[in-house]
Amino acid sequence: MTRVRIDLFASLDGYTSAGQAPDNPMGADWGRLTTAYAATRTFHERVLGDTSGAGTTGVDDSYVAAHFEGIGAEIMGAAMFGLHTFPDDPDWKGWWGDQPPFGTPVYVLTHTAPRPSLPMPGGTTFHFRSTAIEDVLAEATEAAGGLDVRVGGGVSTARDFLRAGLVDHLHLMIAPILLGRGTRLWDDLRGLDLTHKVTTEVAESGTIHVTFTR
Amino acid sequence: MTRVRIDLFASLDGYTSAGQAPDNPMGADWGRLTTAYAATRTFHERVLGDTSGAGTTGVDDSYVAAHFEGIGAEIMGAAMFGLHTFPDDPDWKGWWGDQPPFGTPVYVLTHTAPRPSLPMPGGTTFHFRSTAIEDVLAEATEAAGGLDVRVGGGVSTARDFLRAGLVDHLHLMIAPILLGRGTRLWDDLRGLDLTHKVTTEVAESGTIHVTFTR
């Protein structure tokens, strides 16, 4: 059965990101939040294309590998695609390069006029949708063909799905740092420990992995 | 060398307590925050006086046992002692019973008129102090005779010592629950990960143990 999955990064004090700016869309603290993620072998292989065997292979890597497994369709916000970043460039195809790493249909949520779908090398096709998230999720679920649907981000898109009660599996990768600023994770998750089962595990890096599953 | 130590309970969303009322000074959520603590063998032995061998003996218990080890003096707020709970009863000696579990000098912070010290069976003597926390800490440190000084609570007293940069070892016992209300832990700890070394560990109960040590 298709599950709706989200992975988020957070700090120990519950911030998911901070310091975003037009020239730094992930935010100034992104590097500190994702240090353990970027150190894993799976990240090296799947994101950097580095097949040298570099990267950690412990608890962090097992969660990161799971993140990439069993996904049949992806949903992301317009900002994560980069839809409006270069509005005057008709050839702009988002942040994800000539061969995006998804290899599945990717549904990009947008409030602007419909655009034609954008097939890319490597099996990724971007679809642009301005309907309700429940409708987009229904379409993505059908496209996933029994595999899972991942809500990739950004944080505000993830929060929309969480608030709507649409998420079956939330994985938090909590870095043992205090940011003291940014978007608060927990405000939107009140009660999630009552509807979902919570698990906790610490990696060799000190990163705390928390999952909420129903 | 004497260290200043604090142990606190928190929820996953960073609340240390909630729902306090005059007839429930620990707060309505205290039981959920301290479930794993109260399940340990050390709690059974040291707090309940139950020497039957009942209680958990895993990771939670090792932290709880450490909490009781090596303490030469204790500091607590007036509310934790119960100083003002029964102001008309001249025989009131606080919440801690006929034989308080400390077995050390205990310095109770108060803004009211000085009271005589109160020696109790079992080696505990309560001293009442209205001077600055730095001065009380100096006196407690001398009394500790090379052992550690524990700031026992409540949360507001712990926060005073943390804000003043006086704490060498902070241990958080984070229950995998979301409270959504209460006193926020992290607001006062900004930057603590820069001055202290952070460790993280998960117990069999799912409780996350975080320590900040310098």
Side-chain angles (χ1 to χ4, degrees):
Chain A
M1 200 189 76
T2 295
R3 295 178 307 154
V4 179
R5 291 161 40 186
I6 291 181
D7 296 76
L8 291 176
F9 299 97
S11 61
L12 205 47
D13 52 344
Y15 293 105
T16 52
S17 63
Q20 284 100 335
D23 62 346
N24 193 351
M26 302 309 284
D29 297 320
W30 189 249
R32 295 186 68 208
L33 276 177
T34 57
T35 302
Y37 169 69
T40 63
R41 178 171 298 180
T42 298
F43 180 86
H44 278 257
E45 290 181 359
R46 299 289 297 248
V47 182
L48 302 182
D50 166 10
T51 56
S52 71
T56 64
T57 56
V59 171
D60 287 331
D61 192 57
S62 70
Y63 281 94
V64 175
H67 165 79
F68 286 99
E69 293 303 317
I71 301 296
E74 177 110 4
I75 296 172
M76 66 175 61
M80 183 168 166
F81 176 81
L83 193 61
H84 309 303
T85 310
F86 300 105
D88 299 330
D89 180 354
D91 294 329
W92 171 245
K93 292 177 181 170
W95 290 116
W96 296 98
D98 293 335
Q99 187 164 322
F102 307 102
T104 68
V106 175
Y107 295 85
V108 180
L109 304 171
T110 169
H111 297 296
T112 57
R115 300 168 42 127
S117 293
L118 185 61
M120 302 290 286
T124 299
T125 299
F126 291 107
H127 303 285
F128 302 89
R129 295 290 183 267
S130 55
T131 48
I133 58 174
E134 289 82 357
D135 298 333
V136 178
L137 177 57
E139 187 178 358
T141 299
E142 187 165 339
L147 296 177
D148 290 345
V149 173
R150 186 170 59 199
V151 179
V155 171
S156 67
T157 299
R159 287 152 63 96
D160 287 343
F161 280 81
L162 285 162
R163 263 196 302 270
L166 299 173
V167 179
D168 301 304
H169 181 88
L170 170 66
H171 165 233
L172 306 172
M173 201 162 168
I174 301 178
I177 60 174
L178 301 175
L179 290 183
R181 63 171 183 175
T183 304
R184 288 171 49 82
L185 167 66
W186 297 112
D187 287 351
D188 291 331
L189 300 189
R190 210 164 284 181
L192 199 70
D193 58 329
L194 305 178
T195 56
H196 291 60
K197 180 180 181 331
V198 186
T199 71
T200 52
E201 184 174 11
V202 163
E204 298 81 353
S205 64
T207 302
I208 302 163
H209 294 270
V210 180
T211 65
F212 293 79
T213 306
R214 70 177 175 192
Chain B
M1 202 186 76
T2 295
R3 296 178 305 155
V4 178
R5 292 162 40 187
I6 291 180
D7 295 75
L8 291 176
F9 298 96
S11 62
L12 205 48
D13 53 343
Y15 293 103
T16 51
S17 63
Q20 284 100 338
D23 61 346
N24 193 351
M26 303 308 285
D29 297 320
W30 188 249
R32 294 186 68 206
L33 277 177
T34 58
T35 302
Y37 169 69
T40 63
R41 178 171 300 182
T42 298
F43 180 87
H44 277 256
E45 289 181 358
R46 300 288 297 248
V47 181
L48 301 183
D50 166 11
T51 56
S52 71
T56 66
T57 57
V59 171
D60 287 330
D61 191 57
S62 69
Y63 281 94
V64 175
H67 164 79
F68 285 99
E69 293 301 318
I71 300 296
E74 178 109 4
I75 298 172
M76 65 175 60
M80 183 168 165
F81 175 79
L83 192 59
H84 308 303
T85 308
F86 299 103
D88 298 328
D89 180 354
D91 294 328
W92 172 244
K93 292 175 180 172
W95 290 117
W96 296 97
D98 292 336
Q99 186 164 324
F102 307 103
T104 68
V106 176
Y107 295 85
V108 179
L109 304 171
T110 170
H111 297 296
T112 56
R115 300 167 41 125
S117 293
L118 185 61
M120 302 289 286
T124 299
T125 300
F126 291 107
H127 303 285
F128 302 89
R129 295 290 182 264
S130 56
T131 49
I133 59 173
E134 289 82 357
D135 297 333
V136 178
L137 178 56
E139 187 179 356
T141 300
E142 188 167 337
L147 295 177
D148 291 345
V149 173
R150 185 170 60 198
V151 179
V155 172
S156 66
T157 299
R159 287 152 64 97
D160 287 343
F161 280 82
L162 286 162
R163 264 197 303 270
L166 298 173
V167 179
D168 301 304
H169 181 87
L170 171 66
H171 165 234
L172 306 172
M173 201 161 169
I174 300 178
I177 60 173
L178 302 175
L179 289 184
R181 64 172 184 173
T183 304
R184 287 172 49 82
L185 167 67
W186 297 112
D187 287 349
D188 290 331
L189 301 189
R190 211 163 281 182
L192 199 72
D193 59 329
L194 306 178
T195 56
H196 291 61
K197 180 179 182 329
V198 186
T199 72
T200 51
E201 185 174 9
V202 164
E204 297 82 353
S205 63
T207 302
I208 303 164
H209 295 270
V210 180
T211 65
F212 293 79
T213 306
R214 69 177 176 193

